[in-house]
Amino acid sequence: MNRRPTPALPMREGAKSLFRLLLSSSLSLLFSCSSVPENVKTVGKLPSIYPDYTGVTIPEGIAPLNFNALDEGVDCMDVVVKGSKGGELHANGDWADFDVDDWHQLTAKNRGGTLTFTVCMEKDGQWTQYKDFTVTVSSDALSDYGLTYRRIKPGYEVGGDIGIYQRDIHSFEETAILTEHILPGRCFNCHTPNRNNPDLFTLQIRGEGGGTLIQRDGKQTWYNTKTDSTKAAGSYASWHPEGRYCAYAANAVHQAFFVGNGQRIEVYHNFSSVEVLDTKTNQLILSPLIQNGDLAIHPAFSADGRMLYYSTSKPCRVPAEYEKVKCSLCAIPFDAATGTFGERVDTLLNGPATDKSYTLARPSYDGRWLMYTVSSRSNFPIAQNDADLWLMDLRTGEQRQLSEVNSPQSESYHNWSSNSRWFVFSSKREDGMYTKLYLAHVSPEGKVSKPFLLPQRNPRKYYGELMDAYNVPEFTQKKVRFDAREAFRQVFNQERVKVTIK
């Protein structure tokens, strides 16, 4: 006897969501490993894992240090984490995947202590236990909400879904601030808050309808900062700590490509100058000591706002003479009360004299340290394989290479946490192509820890499938609030506040 099928009743959205969750969980249990270590063989070597989190120092409350096995033949992983001050976590599955809340409780309990990881892996039915490794939980907090950064495909062209994003570093949540879906065909430059406070930030958009945005307490103001005297709009921004002034570099970026020598690209500027925008009077403040025909770039106000650091190089015929671009690191006084530059320039590091290029100076917010990038040439270090991070003690003038964090590939675009105990930087160490974000700790004496890759829930899958490079990272004290629709309206109506020269 044939029966007509009973019509399916419409499923409510909540029931649909529950059904999908149960189905997903069932499939996960069906296809993921579920065995436990038995007849375990022990070996005296560390486990081969990605990312390499062995021996790193982390803050309390950071997102879990999930990791994968590097060996493709591993069928299952079992990890036990024990705190030196108590507490324990257990993960069993295709990769080490820790519950966020449980991880936060464990790191809080072991602040100032260590976590010991015991890793077992199953391959072809045989379980192997590896040598334990430890992770230090620093007594120094990292209370900032997260990071902002630009994600861009390293395709050397405008387009390709450029976007500025923010990431909660205490979980795995990433949200978009502004992407090319909102402003097609535009290039977004540095998103720069004032001392990590997103209530005041600036960003630049190049291309048709471009401009400089300053958002203060949620209100967007778009500027046209290009003048006859400055040639181009500003980029590479730095805020004065009082929030009235913002320094920019006015320049034009160009690219040249190598053939057959193992290098890909040289990025250069045929002009560049540093200026300061007074957001109260809408005036640009210039100095004849900077506007002297040399190429000034990468401004950064000191922690107390009394000094402006920048890099400068002598003009040459680029790109033909690209190897002659040697930047010196300089400083010029700035008086916020009068909105004027001082009458002298101090050369802190002389590029031509040392045959090096010193760029991207970033002072810590406590006024103790100055971190900068050193390469053999160029004012665009992210394109230089030999670019390394260095640290200067501003009390003594002592400087040293940060061998703890550098690699054979480019390290650049670094910034400080609000308490100046942590820093983030971009590195191409994995493949020489894609920059990823790493974090490291700095002690009050200047001791720097082994850096760790920004955690992801399934890191090997995430980073393996991500076709974007990270750059221009900044810490942010809280989540950025930004009206992308208002930005769309402002960009395309092209109404701009016109600046004048002071």
Side-chain angles (χ1 to χ4, degrees):
M1 179 177 179
N2 294 327
R3 296 190 179 185
R4 297 179 61 185
T6 303
L9 295 175
M11 192 178 288
R12 293 189 177 184
E13 192 59 38
K16 289 181 181 179
S17 299
L18 178 60
F19 175 76
R20 285 193 292 265
L21 177 62
L22 292 173
L23 178 61
S24 174
S25 300
S26 299
L27 290 175
S28 175
L29 290 173
L30 180 64
F31 293 108
S32 65
C33 74
S34 58
S35 59
V36 294
E38 295 179 328
N39 302 317
V40 179
K41 177 180 70 175
T42 59
V43 295
K45 64 178 182 179
L46 292 170
S48 182
I49 59 174
Y50 178 83
D52 177 15
Y53 286 140
T54 61
V56 302
T57 297
I58 63 170
E60 168 196 347
I62 194 73
L65 299 189
N66 293 353
F67 56 84
N68 306 79
L70 276 176
D71 191 338
E72 297 289 352
V74 171
D75 300 313
C76 195
M77 183 185 296
D78 190 272
V79 181
V80 175
V81 187
K82 294 183 179 180
S84 61
K85 298 183 177 182
E88 181 176 318
L89 281 183
H90 179 228
N92 180 281
D94 294 331
W95 75 93
D97 183 13
F98 303 106
D99 178 82
V100 173
D101 292 336
D102 293 344
W103 174 266
H104 285 174
Q105 291 176 13
L106 183 66
T107 58
K109 190 171 187 176
N110 288 276
R111 181 173 177 174
T114 59
L115 304 177
T116 299
F117 290 70
T118 300
V119 179
C120 295
M121 298 184 190
E122 183 189 28
K123 182 177 180 181
D124 299 327
Q126 173 64 56
W127 279 97
T128 300
Q129 180 176 324
Y130 295 86
K131 183 180 178 180
D132 289 353
F133 69 87
T134 60
V135 168
T136 299
V137 184
S138 174
S139 57
D140 290 324
L142 179 51
S143 57
D144 292 304
Y145 160 80
L147 296 167
T148 62
Y149 43 80
R150 184 171 67 166
R151 279 182 20 199
I152 181 172
K153 290 176 173 55
Y156 317 119
E157 60 184 5
V158 174
D161 196 20
I162 297 171
I164 299 174
Y165 293 83
Q166 59 184 330
R167 162 68 191 273
D168 179 355
I169 57 175
H170 308 286
S171 71
F172 301 115
E173 180 188 49
E174 180 188 69
T175 54
I177 298 174
L178 184 63
T179 71
E180 203 173 344
H181 293 293
I182 300 296
L183 300 174
R186 270 55 176 187
C187 179
F188 310 141
N189 291 325
C190 322
H191 166 270
T192 308
N194 182 19
R195 298 176 67 95
N196 300 344
N197 184 353
D199 290 339
L200 176 60
F201 71 84
T202 183
L203 63 83
Q204 298 79 40
I205 294 179
R206 285 178 170 156
E208 182 183 356
T212 298
L213 165 68
I214 290 179
Q215 177 168 300
R216 192 184 300 269
D217 298 325
K219 180 182 178 182
Q220 297 182 22
T221 303
W222 290 83
Y223 290 82
N224 177 8
T225 58
K226 182 178 179 180
T227 69
D228 293 338
S229 301
T230 55
K231 296 184 181 180
S235 60
Y236 305 119
S238 174
W239 284 98
H240 188 275
E242 295 177 7
R244 174 175 173 175
Y245 303 99
C246 191
Y248 298 93
N251 53 52
V253 182
H254 300 275
Q255 303 172 107
F257 297 89
F258 294 97
V259 177
N261 69 348
Q263 300 181 66
R264 294 186 180 91
I265 187 174
E266 192 75 18
V267 180
Y268 62 94
H269 305 81
N270 53 20
F271 71 88
S272 185
S273 185
V274 166
E275 61 200 32
V276 171
L277 174 63
D278 184 340
T279 64
K280 184 176 181 179
T281 65
N282 300 328
Q283 292 178 308
L284 289 178
I285 304 168
L286 309 179
S287 167
L289 298 178
I290 299 176
Q291 276 75 31
N292 60 359
D294 292 346
L295 277 69
I297 199 168
H298 302 310
F301 278 108
S302 61
D304 59 10
R306 296 179 181 178
M307 198 72 67
L308 184 70
Y309 300 102
Y310 65 97
S311 296
T312 182
S313 61
K314 295 296 181 181
C316 57
R317 293 189 306 109
V318 287
E321 295 181 330
Y322 68 94
E323 292 180 316
K324 292 184 178 181
V325 180
K326 310 284 184 177
C327 291
S328 296
L329 181 57
C330 297
I332 185 170
F334 183 81
D335 186 343
T338 60
T340 57
F341 285 104
E343 297 181 354
R344 74 179 193 278
V345 170
D346 294 327
T347 300
L348 306 180
L349 298 167
N350 191 310
T354 57
D355 198 30
K356 296 291 183 183
S357 195
Y358 304 97
T359 54
L360 285 171
R362 292 290 183 269
S364 59
Y365 298 121
D366 62 3
R368 176 69 187 277
W369 310 106
L370 185 69
M371 192 176 294
Y372 52 94
T373 301
V374 180
S375 56
S376 59
R377 64 176 188 271
S378 179
N379 54 22
F380 201 84
I382 198 170
Q384 304 302 316
N385 291 342
D386 64 355
D388 285 333
L389 297 181
W390 283 60
L391 190 67
M392 179 186 293
D393 187 335
L394 291 174
R395 294 181 183 175
T396 65
E398 180 183 358
Q399 53 196 281
R400 70 178 184 91
Q401 186 178 22
L402 292 181
S403 57
E404 305 96 319
V405 304
N406 291 325
S407 75
Q409 297 293 335
S410 171
E411 273 73 48
S412 65
Y413 283 113
H414 44 281
N415 273 301
W416 294 91
S417 66
S418 295
N419 65 357
S420 300
R421 288 290 177 263
W422 303 86
F423 66 93
V424 60
F425 65 97
S426 64
S427 175
K428 294 183 179 179
R429 65 188 58 201
E430 284 195 9
D431 53 24
M433 174 69 79
Y434 290 92
T435 46
K436 296 180 176 64
L437 300 186
Y438 290 78
L439 294 92
H441 174 258
V442 184
S443 74
E445 299 74 33
K447 182 180 179 180
V448 177
S449 67
K450 176 182 176 179
F452 62 94
L453 182 65
L454 179 65
Q456 304 291 346
R457 184 172 184 271
N458 187 344
R460 194 171 185 186
K461 176 179 172 60
Y462 179 88
Y463 287 116
E465 295 178 356
L466 182 69
M467 295 293 104
D468 290 346
Y470 290 86
N471 61 26
V472 201
E474 295 266 4
F475 282 100
T476 182
Q477 294 173 358
K478 55 186 177 182
K479 195 169 185 177
V480 179
R481 303 297 179 184
F482 184 69
D483 188 340
R485 291 186 178 182
E486 176 63 13
F488 174 88
R489 188 186 70 81
Q490 295 271 12
V491 167
F492 287 99
N493 72 17
Q494 299 192 27
E495 294 179 3
R496 301 288 181 267
V497 175
K498 184 65 177 176
V499 302
T500 59
I501 303 297
K502 182 173 179 178

